[in-house]
């Protein structure tokens, strides 16, 4: 099994820039799939107090562990990027294959497969790559324009001992201040990249973290980790919760009775060991208070995957982790349950953010991040429940891969336009018909808070203030809900706030407090509407047949043929389904070559003997860049032919070292040096080497070294390797022809890939 080998930043840049110029793509994502904003719409959000241009992002997983993955997520429109989870045990042997998106989605994946130090360089490198893309204007003067605000969100696991260990602490500190890594990477930017060497790269890669705990992590451990992260690491924290919080009966009812996934079996153990709902209800407010006391923010994330018994044969483990359509329904029901208990709290706010002090309070929802079966069709619902960010994984592993992201944003845009909502707050308030109810709840809480805070106030003044809230604030807002399409909610809220300054009959300190609270009016309306929308949208989703087994039981089609080194049905599905950009297309010369073998005898000219036919039927061929392939198996699931593209297609390595270590029965390394191209290759387990320049081709197999005219023909010289004793040696020319065609095809500069970019 090959290991992931990070690709150096200059090589990634070289590929991206050349590929864009020559093929209009970056890492195989066509430029038409780059997110360039939605005309007239503002999709920006705030997460842990930071701005992001969209609420969308990849969930910590296969789409954000390498530089190229993160860049692709970003190009597709992701702006809150939850980086793949790191942990102290960074030399794990993860079972392969590990991803099975046969229909709904299962995995036995775990944390980052790179060492901690490598992950750090990948994440910092990705941040630098994005800055270089922006600065270069490669994608146009207006790219990304005002739509580039991006948040990198760390993810660490899995227990307090590991997370508080010196190595993981140092890792988090380096993410908070990456100056040293950036300075290490700067000198690697040479040649055309030298102009970006002194770019002002933001040193703070991240100061937010989403906590991933083990399935079965006890409450005390979770609380201990979050407290550590908030206090000692000074981070904003999001706690990822498990779907087991719904309770076994409820989960089974939804899975079996409602959705019809009768094959899926949960284990009692998972429910017994995981955090209990009552514990979560006590723990989250406690941690929230702790966060506020430290000037930090706490969010919750729904949800982790669900542990189910392995009823298939794809993985060898006894259990596997469920994702996709059924998890979407389970998780939304869990959000509903959670919000029934901890939906809204009433807290003072200032300038739209929760304040640590102040007098008059507004309702506020616990910030909620979401991941579970997100796709372009349900993103609108999820945004309307005020989930920030909405993160996706399973859907991006399907055909189209990262190119699917743009549809998420486009469909969200269509829904915003249909509601006349130019900004996401307006969209949330309008989406499920709960706008007026949200206005009532907010004004009700304002009045309650006024009364509670100013118990000794003059009753005439209090009445005047309450009448102003009912008659002016509520009326204006409700009018906006009914007929204000096209006018941003922000404008109405600003008018109300200004009204409190200039026209409201509000005296003294009471007016001051109310004005302070009104600065958070829009956010309060969004929070309340998001919570009010939840039961409506959860019911609608639970009843929607698109999430049921009947509509998800189909499996990718297999056609019964076997993959070989060359030729296949060319569906190209294996390229975008790979999260690591490991599979690629190259062009070759279709040929049917009748070839001779040669008998080589000392002192004699080579003698032709019958060989065979080397046939390549198609010009369009597939290959794999093994250094970026972690054998996850996803391309095998979607390939209509048998064998697995990552196993049967030529596997190219990035160095002689990794080729020698992992080349196996079908591996290649192409070295471009001093005008000569050398390909090292293992075909069906036998090792070969071919070096070519304009004058000669030198071919080595296990027994002999042979010089062949570059345009073909009989060997002009040969020698047998020491230890090989034969007076007459039969040279099989098929491997030579295979290598020659491969190297000539791969170095074709019209197609840029990881195997040839070093020589372009
Ligand atoms: S090439 Fe296939 S097996 Fe390898 S990482 Fe990509 S999808 Fe997974
Ligand atoms: S290797 Fe399989 S998935 Fe890839 S193009 Fe060929 S048939 Fe399609």
């Amino acid at each position: 099994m090959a290991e992931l080998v990070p690709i150096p930043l200059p090589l990634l840049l070289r590929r991206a820039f050349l590929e864009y110029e020559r093929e209009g793509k970056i890492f195989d994502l066509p430029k038409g799939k780059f997110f360039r904003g939605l005309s007239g719409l503002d999709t920006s959000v705030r997460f842990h107090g930071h701005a992001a241009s969209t609420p969308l992002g990849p969930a910590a997983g296969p789409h954000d562990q390498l530089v190229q993955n993160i860049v692709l997520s970003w190009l597709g429109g992701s702006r809150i990027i939850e980086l793949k989870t790191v942990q102290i045990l960074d030399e794990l042997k993860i079972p392969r294959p590990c991803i099975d998106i046969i229909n709904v989605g299962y995995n036995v994946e775990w944390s980052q497969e790179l060492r901690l130090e490598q992950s750090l360089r990948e994440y910092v490198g990705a941040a630098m790559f994005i800055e270089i893309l922006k600065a270069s204007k490669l994608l146009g003067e207006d790219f990304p324009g005002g739509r580039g605000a991006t948040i990198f969100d760390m993810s660490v696991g899995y227990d307090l001992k590991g997370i508080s260990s010196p190595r993981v602490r140092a890792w988090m500190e380096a993410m908070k201040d990456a100056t040293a890594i950036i300075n290490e990477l700067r000198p690697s930017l040479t040649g055309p990249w030298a102009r970006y060497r002194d770019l002002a790269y933001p040193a703070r890669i991240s100061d937010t973290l989403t906590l991933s705990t083990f399935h079965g992590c006890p409450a005390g451990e979770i609380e201990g980790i979050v407290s550590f992260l908030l206090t000692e690491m000074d981070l904003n924290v999001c706690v990822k919760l498990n779907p087991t919080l719904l309770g076994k009966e409820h989960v089974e009812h939804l899975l079996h009775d409602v959705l019809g996934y009768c094959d899926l079996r949960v284990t009692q153990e998972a429910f017994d060991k995981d955090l209990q709902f009552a514990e979560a209800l006590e723990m989250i407010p406690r941690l929230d208070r702790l966060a506020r006391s430290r000037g930090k923010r706490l969010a919750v994330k729904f949800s982790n995957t669900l542990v189910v018994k392995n009823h298939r044969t794809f993985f060898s483990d006894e259990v596997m982790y469920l994702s996709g359509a059924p998890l979407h329904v389970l998780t939304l029901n869990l959000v509903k349950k959670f919000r029934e208990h901890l939906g809204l709290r009433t807290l003072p706010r200032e300038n739209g953010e929760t304040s640590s002090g102040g007098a008059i309070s507004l309702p506020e929802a616990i910030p909620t991040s979401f991941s579970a079966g997100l796709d372009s069709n349900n993103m609108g619902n999820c945004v309307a429940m005020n989930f920030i960010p909405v993160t996706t994984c399973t859907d991006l592993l399907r055909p189209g891969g990262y190119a699917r992201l743009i549809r998420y944003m486009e469909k969200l845009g269509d829904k915003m336009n249909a509601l006349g909502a130019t900004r996401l707050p307006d969209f949330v308030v309008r989406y499920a018909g709960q706008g007026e109810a949200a206005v009532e709840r907010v004004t009700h809480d304002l009045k309650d808070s006024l009364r509670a805070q100013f118990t000794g106030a003059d009753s005439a003044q209090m009445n005047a203030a309450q009448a102003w809230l009912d008659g002016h604030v509520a009326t204006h807002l409700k009018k906006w809900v009914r007929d204000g399409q096209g006018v941003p909610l922000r404008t109405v809220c600003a008018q109300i706030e200004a009204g409190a300054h200039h026209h409201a009959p509000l005296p003294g300190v009471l007016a001051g407090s109310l004005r302070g609270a009104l600065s958070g009016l829009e956010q309060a309306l969004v929070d309340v509407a998001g919570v009010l929308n939840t039961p409506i949208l959860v019911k609608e989703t639970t009843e929607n047949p698109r999430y049921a087994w009947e509509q998800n039981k189909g499996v990718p089609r297999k056609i019964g043929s076997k993959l070989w080194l060359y030729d296949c049905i060319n569906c190209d599905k294996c390229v975008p389904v790979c999260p690591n950009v490991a599979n690629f297309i190259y062009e070759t010369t279709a040929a049917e070559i009748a070839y001779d073998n040669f008998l080589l005898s000392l002192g004699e000219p080579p003698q032709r003997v019958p060989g065979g036919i080397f046939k390549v039927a198609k010009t369009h061929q597939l290959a794999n860049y093994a250094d970026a392939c972690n054998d996850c198996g996803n391309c095998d699931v979607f390939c209509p032919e048998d064998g697995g593209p990552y196993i049967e297609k030529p596997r190219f390595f990035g160095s002689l070292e990794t080729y020698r270590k992992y080349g196996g029965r079908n591996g290649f390394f192409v070295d471009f040096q001093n005008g000569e191209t050398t390909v090292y290759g293992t075909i069906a387990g036998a090792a070969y080497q071919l070096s070519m320049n304009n004058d000669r081709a030198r071919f080595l197999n296990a027994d002999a070294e042979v010089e062949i005219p570059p345009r073909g023909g009989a060997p002009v010289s040969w020698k047998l390797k020491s230890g090989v004793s034969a007076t007459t040696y039969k040279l099989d020319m098929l491997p030579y022809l295979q290598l020659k065609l491969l190297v000539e095809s791969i170095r074709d500069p019209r197609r840029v890939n990881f195997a040839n970019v070093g020589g372009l």
Side-chain angles (χ1 to χ4, degrees):
M1 190 187 83
E3 286 202 2
L4 283 183
V5 181
I7 300 168
L9 186 59
L11 215 58
L12 288 161
L13 287 164
R14 191 177 174 81
R15 167 163 174 182
F17 278 64
L18 284 176
E19 193 183 0
Y20 187 75
E21 282 158 13
R22 295 178 188 183
E23 302 180 61
K25 300 187 295 179
I26 289 183
F27 304 138
D28 272 315
L29 184 72
K31 61 182 175 185
K33 302 295 180 185
F34 298 173
F35 175 68
R36 292 181 177 272
L38 301 171
S39 177
L41 303 180
D42 176 356
T43 56
S44 60
V45 292
R46 294 187 79 77
F47 177 60
H48 286 313
H50 299 302
S53 299
T54 76
L56 180 61
H63 298 99
D64 39 21
Q65 66 175 337
L66 301 170
V67 170
Q68 66 265 32
N69 309 24
I70 295 166
V71 169
L72 281 166
S73 296
W74 186 81
L75 285 169
S78 298
R79 293 295 183 268
I80 302 179
I81 295 174
E82 189 189 303
L83 301 160
K84 186 152 186 178
T85 309
V86 300
Q87 63 151 327
I88 187 69
L89 300 175
D90 60 352
E91 294 191 57
L92 286 173
K93 288 285 167 249
I94 294 168
R96 303 292 181 200
C98 58
I99 298 177
D100 180 15
I101 311 297
I102 183 94
N103 40 33
V104 294
Y106 308 103
N107 75 76
V108 288
E109 257 226 328
W110 215 11
S111 51
Q112 177 63 281
E113 288 148 49
L114 304 174
R115 305 292 93 83
L116 276 166
E117 297 70 22
Q118 290 176 306
S119 298
L120 182 62
R121 272 169 184 72
E122 289 302 283
Y123 301 159
V124 175
M128 290 174 72
F129 193 117
I130 290 170
E131 291 306 313
I132 291 172
L133 263 187
K134 287 182 191 171
S136 69
K137 300 291 172 198
L138 175 74
L139 309 181
E141 282 297 320
D142 62 338
F143 191 93
R147 296 167 294 276
T150 305
I151 297 168
F152 277 25
D153 183 35
M154 289 181 256
S155 174
V156 300
Y158 288 94
D159 60 6
L160 182 57
K161 187 165 174 249
I163 291 171
S164 61
S165 66
R167 268 185 84 212
V168 177
R169 283 181 79 131
W171 188 92
M172 291 186 277
E173 291 294 355
M175 287 291 284
K176 289 196 297 183
D177 181 359
T179 307
I181 309 291
I182 291 169
N183 288 342
E184 263 179 45
L185 289 169
R186 284 183 198 276
S188 71
L189 300 173
T190 54
W193 322 115
R195 75 183 81 157
Y196 306 114
R197 204 180 284 166
D198 298 322
L199 214 56
Y201 299 103
R204 202 169 185 78
I205 305 297
S206 176
D207 62 10
T208 73
L209 187 146
T210 295
L211 172 67
S212 188
T213 54
F214 284 125
H215 289 276
C217 187
E221 182 81 4
I222 298 174
E223 189 155 0
I225 300 169
V226 177
S227 304
F228 166 78
L229 294 169
L230 288 168
T231 57
E232 294 199 39
M233 297 310 301
D234 200 30
L235 293 166
N236 300 294
V237 182
C238 179
V239 196
K240 199 190 308 183
L241 298 169
N242 286 347
T244 45
L245 283 173
L246 255 187
K248 184 164 177 274
E249 263 183 37
H250 198 168
V251 166
E252 287 180 330
H253 169 65
L254 286 169
L255 275 182
H256 301 155
D257 308 333
V258 177
L259 299 171
Y261 292 92
C262 296
D263 283 348
L264 294 180
R265 296 284 152 195
V266 294
T267 67
Q268 182 64 47
E269 198 191 359
F271 289 84
D272 292 344
K273 282 190 172 170
D274 265 0
L275 177 73
Q276 302 298 302
F277 193 68
E279 292 173 328
L281 293 186
E282 288 180 7
M283 183 182 76
I284 298 299
R286 245 188 339 258
L287 288 172
D288 184 55
R289 283 193 293 277
L290 176 64
R292 286 166 198 277
S293 73
R294 311 288 300 195
K296 297 285 144 200
R297 292 169 175 81
L298 183 86
V300 288
K301 177 162 193 171
F302 295 101
S303 71
N304 211 335
T305 47
L306 176 71
V307 186
V308 294
K309 288 184 183 163
N310 183 358
H311 64 285
R312 294 174 36 77
T313 52
F314 199 73
F315 308 130
S316 53
D317 295 17
E318 274 180 27
V319 294
M320 55 189 180
Y321 304 105
L322 172 76
S323 63
L327 190 68
H328 186 73
V329 174
L330 293 176
T331 298
L332 284 185
N333 277 276
L334 175 57
V335 174
K336 174 172 166 280
K337 180 178 171 182
F338 183 82
R339 285 184 166 178
E340 281 164 1
H341 292 80
L342 288 181
L344 293 167
R345 56 217 172 155
T346 304
L347 293 164
R349 296 184 193 245
E350 282 167 3
N351 303 321
E353 305 278 355
T354 303
S355 80
S356 50
I360 300 179
S361 307
L362 283 169
E364 179 187 319
I366 294 178
T368 304
S369 157
F370 184 81
S371 175
L374 189 82
D375 62 28
S376 63
N377 290 312
N378 59 36
M379 171 156 161
N381 274 7
C382 293
V383 171
M385 283 181 266
N386 194 24
F387 298 150
I388 300 171
V390 284
T391 65
T392 177
C393 181
T394 303
D395 186 55
L396 300 187
L397 292 163
R398 301 183 193 287
Y402 296 94
R404 297 170 79 91
L405 280 169
I406 187 115
R407 290 296 294 145
Y408 289 53
M409 293 306 299
E410 287 170 350
K411 287 192 182 178
L412 176 65
D414 291 346
K415 289 181 176 169
M416 290 174 74
N417 282 324
L419 290 172
T422 53
R423 299 173 63 247
L424 287 183
D426 308 31
F427 175 74
V428 176
V429 175
R430 290 191 182 286
Y431 189 73
Q434 296 303 298
E436 293 197 41
V439 171
E440 274 170 22
R441 169 70 195 256
V442 170
T443 44
H444 172 273
D445 280 18
L446 269 172
K447 286 190 293 182
D448 266 6
S449 180
L450 261 180
R451 277 195 299 272
Q453 292 295 326
F454 295 91
T455 45
D458 178 280
S459 64
Q461 290 179 354
M462 184 62 74
N463 288 344
Q466 297 203 4
W468 182 77
L469 284 172
D470 280 333
H472 185 78
V473 177
T475 306
H476 259 68
L477 288 170
K478 285 186 182 175
K479 187 168 182 316
W480 175 84
V481 172
R482 284 194 295 272
D483 341 297
Q485 274 94 339
V487 179
L489 175 59
R490 180 171 57 182
T491 306
V492 180
C493 290
Q495 285 164 354
I496 288 170
E497 202 187 334
H501 281 278
H502 303 302
H503 308 299
L506 305 177
V509 64
L510 196 151
S513 293
L514 194 52
R515 282 198 294 268
L518 285 174
S519 64
L521 183 59
E522 183 189 46
Q523 188 59 50
L525 287 163
V526 170
D527 280 15
V528 174
V531 169
L532 295 179
N533 291 345
T534 303
I536 297 166
L537 298 175
V538 172
K539 181 170 186 295
E540 184 189 300
T541 305
T542 307
E543 292 169 356
N544 187 338
R546 79 182 289 260
Y547 298 101
W549 167 245
E550 270 305 312
Q551 290 203 18
N552 290 284
K553 66 183 180 186
V555 299
R557 191 172 66 105
K558 289 280 179 190
I559 58 174
S561 53
K562 165 92 175 67
L563 286 179
W564 300 102
L565 198 65
Y566 285 104
D567 297 333
C568 62
I569 64 165
N570 285 353
C571 70
D572 290 351
K573 281 183 186 158
C574 57
V575 176
V577 299
C578 175
N580 301 340
V581 202
N583 290 328
F584 64 93
I585 295 165
Y586 67 98
E587 303 293 330
T588 189
T589 316
E592 188 163 335
I593 304 166
Y595 66 89
D596 292 330
N597 289 329
F598 292 95
L599 288 181
L600 308 176
S601 308
L602 274 177
E604 302 283 334
Q607 185 188 338
R608 286 179 187 273
V609 291
I613 293 180
F614 173 43
K615 185 176 170 190
V616 176
K618 299 183 176 174
T619 54
H620 185 95
Q621 297 290 341
L622 276 296
N624 171 273
Y625 186 69
D627 280 7
C629 172
N630 59 354
D631 296 350
C632 74
N634 195 45
C635 56
D636 186 16
V637 171
F638 289 100
C639 176
E641 301 202 46
D642 294 326
Y646 72 109
I647 296 170
E648 299 299 340
K649 291 296 165 191
R651 296 165 61 241
F652 288 89
F653 289 82
S655 68
L656 197 52
E657 186 194 343
T658 53
Y659 159 73
R660 290 208 164 121
K661 210 164 162 188
Y662 305 112
R665 50 183 280 279
N666 167 27
F668 301 87
F669 167 63
V670 188
D671 195 9
F672 303 93
Q673 300 250 13
N674 310 323
E676 185 163 279
T677 306
T678 300
V679 58
Y680 301 82
T682 310
I683 303 172
Y688 304 95
Q689 183 181 328
L690 174 64
S691 300
M692 295 171 66
N693 59 26
N694 290 337
D695 307 320
R696 62 175 199 147
R698 198 166 59 90
F699 176 64
L700 282 77
N701 63 19
D703 304 321
E705 181 176 337
V706 184
E707 193 173 330
I708 301 169
R711 309 229 174 277
V716 291
S717 69
W718 67 88
K719 64 179 179 209
L720 294 183
K721 290 188 179 168
S722 64
V724 180
S725 57
T727 46
T728 301
Y729 177 75
K730 184 175 171 189
L731 179 68
D732 180 1
M733 291 295 283
L734 181 60
Y736 163 77
L737 292 170
Q738 288 174 319
L739 282 191
K740 182 167 179 283
L741 186 68
L742 205 53
V743 75
E744 284 171 350
S745 311
I746 287 296
R747 68 183 179 191
D748 177 351
R750 289 170 303 169
R751 287 272 195 180
V752 187
N753 53 61
F754 287 135
N756 71 4
V757 68
L760 296 180

